[in-house]
């Protein structure tokens, strides 16, 4: 039975202004990744696909990634193609990773095809000789290439997105977890509206203000820069998503940012 829609997760490693793609012998090129299995989210699927295709060392690509909030979607017009792919329509979600030369990206999955990892110029993403589907090239030109400088992405609720966009808010609050520990001053990142992913801006980290808790954090910072009027309001909103117990287990960070464009 052909499903109405399938979902896939793909990653584009970037190194020295080049992008890593898979080359399928004489059959063209494609991104690293694949379709979600039942019960998987996008990052879980990527972890599985990377492990299968490139080995466990490639999982370091996921330490800090830019998640492109807009998916590449299309519908098959050829029933035979839809049957082969198992779905009438497909939705592809993309991640960008700034890869270091310390990671060996070699295709290691046993397949009947001759598949290898190749590093190509960024312009290859819009080259008809490399990417043969026109609307995919258009997607790369609109949503991938303009965001290649971003080291990671973050989403915020609409209210706070508009405040950051207009300059009313320049401190974004997060738990100081593994992802945040990989961030540093000077990083450029993609910030998007969680309620309207088509709306995004590019920002730069000016400072990472780490503290044991929010009360300590705002002893030296104006809390209004975070979009809250006082600590009680902040705690009331945060604990809708994170329990008091979880808050006490981790440090917090106020990410001081400025909009780049």
């Amino acid at each position: 039975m052909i499903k109405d829609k399938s979902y896939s997760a793909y990653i584009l490693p970037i190194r020295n202004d080049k992008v890593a793609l898979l080359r399928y012998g004489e059959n063209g090129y494609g991104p690293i990744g694949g379709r979600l299995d039942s019960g998987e989210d996008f990052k879980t699927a990527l972890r599985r696909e990377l492990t299968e295709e490139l080995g466990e060392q490639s999982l370091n690509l996921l330490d800090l990634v830019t998640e492109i909030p807009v998916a590449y979607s299309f519908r098959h017009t050829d029933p035979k193609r839809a049957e082969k792919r198992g779905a009438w329509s497909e939705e592809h979600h993309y991640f960008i990773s700034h890869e270091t030369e310390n990671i060996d990206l070699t295709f290691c999955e046993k397949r009947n095809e001759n598949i290898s990892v190749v590093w190509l110029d960024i312009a290859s993403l819009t080259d008809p000789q490399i990417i043969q589907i026109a609307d995919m090239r258009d997607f790369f030109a609109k949503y991938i290439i303009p965001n290649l400088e971003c080291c990671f992405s973050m989403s915020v609720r609409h209210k706070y997105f508009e405040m950051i966009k207009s300059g009313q808010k320049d401190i974004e609050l997060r738990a100081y977890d593994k992802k945040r520990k990989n961030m540093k001053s000077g990083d450029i990142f993609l910030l998007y509206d969680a309620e309207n992913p088509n709306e995004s801006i590019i920002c730069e980290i000016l400072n990472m203000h780490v503290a044991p808790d929010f009360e300590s954090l705002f002893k030296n910072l104006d809390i209004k820069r975070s979009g809250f009027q006082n600590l009680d309001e902040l705690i009331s909103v945060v604990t809708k998503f994170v329990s008091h117990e979880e808050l006490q287990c981790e440090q917090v960070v106020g990410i001081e940012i400025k909009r780049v464009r």
Side-chain angles (χ1 to χ4, degrees):
M1 182 178 177
I2 302 176
K3 295 188 296 185
D4 181 57
K5 182 184 284 190
S6 68
Y7 298 86
S8 297
Y10 293 104
I11 192 163
L12 296 169
I14 306 297
R15 178 203 289 172
N16 298 329
D17 296 323
K18 292 185 180 294
V19 60
L21 297 175
L22 296 181
R23 181 169 185 173
Y24 295 87
E26 301 301 318
N27 296 319
Y29 301 82
I32 298 164
R35 276 175 285 183
L36 275 63
D37 286 343
S38 177
E40 289 185 326
D41 59 25
F42 295 108
K43 283 194 175 179
T44 300
L46 262 185
R47 290 185 66 86
R48 175 181 52 74
E49 289 285 345
L50 283 169
T51 302
E52 293 172 356
E53 295 181 350
L54 306 181
E56 289 190 2
Q57 78 285 345
S58 67
L59 295 179
N60 291 331
L61 291 173
L62 299 177
D63 285 347
L64 203 60
V65 293
T66 303
E67 180 175 0
I68 302 302
V70 179
Y72 168 61
S73 300
F74 61 94
R75 188 167 184 83
H76 293 293
T77 56
D78 181 358
K80 290 184 178 179
R81 181 62 177 167
E83 184 176 4
K84 182 178 180 180
R85 295 290 295 178
W88 287 107
S89 62
E90 298 189 36
E91 190 171 288
H92 296 181
H93 289 249
Y94 279 87
F95 297 79
I96 298 168
S97 174
H98 286 268
E99 192 268 334
T100 68
E101 296 184 8
N102 296 327
I103 304 175
D104 176 28
L105 297 187
T106 302
F107 193 84
C108 59
E109 185 178 7
K110 291 183 179 180
R111 299 260 197 101
N112 292 328
E113 302 172 270
N114 178 23
I115 305 175
S116 59
V117 177
V118 293
W119 290 92
L120 302 173
D121 291 337
I122 298 299
S124 299
L125 294 175
T126 55
D127 184 344
Q129 299 296 319
I130 305 298
I131 306 299
Q132 297 179 358
I133 302 172
D135 60 350
M136 183 180 286
R137 296 196 301 272
D138 292 342
F139 174 83
F140 287 155
K142 185 174 182 179
Y143 294 108
I144 300 295
I145 292 177
N147 295 316
L148 285 179
E149 66 180 311
C150 297
C151 298
F152 61 91
S153 58
M154 286 198 299
S155 66
V156 293
R157 292 164 59 197
H158 176 73
K159 172 184 176 181
Y160 303 116
F161 177 82
E162 290 297 327
M163 292 178 73
I164 294 171
K165 186 177 177 181
S166 65
Q168 296 174 272
K169 166 180 161 73
D170 68 345
I171 298 285
E172 177 58 21
L173 303 176
R174 289 289 193 274
Y176 194 51
D177 55 15
K178 181 180 178 182
K179 176 179 178 180
R180 257 49 70 165
K181 288 174 182 176
N182 282 317
M183 298 175 183
K184 61 185 185 302
S185 299
D187 281 351
I188 304 296
F189 68 97
L190 181 67
L191 183 79
Y192 63 91
D193 185 338
E195 295 156 55
N196 182 13
N198 282 292
E199 291 292 322
S200 63
I201 56 177
I202 292 180
C203 299
E204 178 185 354
I205 294 180
L206 298 181
N207 211 331
M208 298 284 287
H209 301 278
V210 181
D213 51 50
F214 288 124
E215 184 176 3
S216 302
L217 178 66
F218 288 109
K219 283 182 177 178
N220 298 311
L221 291 173
D222 182 357
I223 196 169
K224 293 181 180 179
R225 294 174 63 188
S226 70
F228 297 98
Q229 294 301 308
N230 53 59
L231 193 61
D232 288 340
E233 181 191 358
L234 187 161
I235 297 299
S236 174
V237 171
V238 169
T239 50
K240 291 178 182 178
F241 308 97
V242 181
S243 69
H244 284 282
E245 292 74 17
E246 289 176 296
L247 281 177
Q248 292 172 351
C249 290
E250 288 187 291
Q251 293 178 298
V252 298
V253 59
I255 307 172
E256 185 177 353
I257 62 179
K258 73 171 182 179
R259 180 180 177 182
V260 175
R261 64 176 182 274

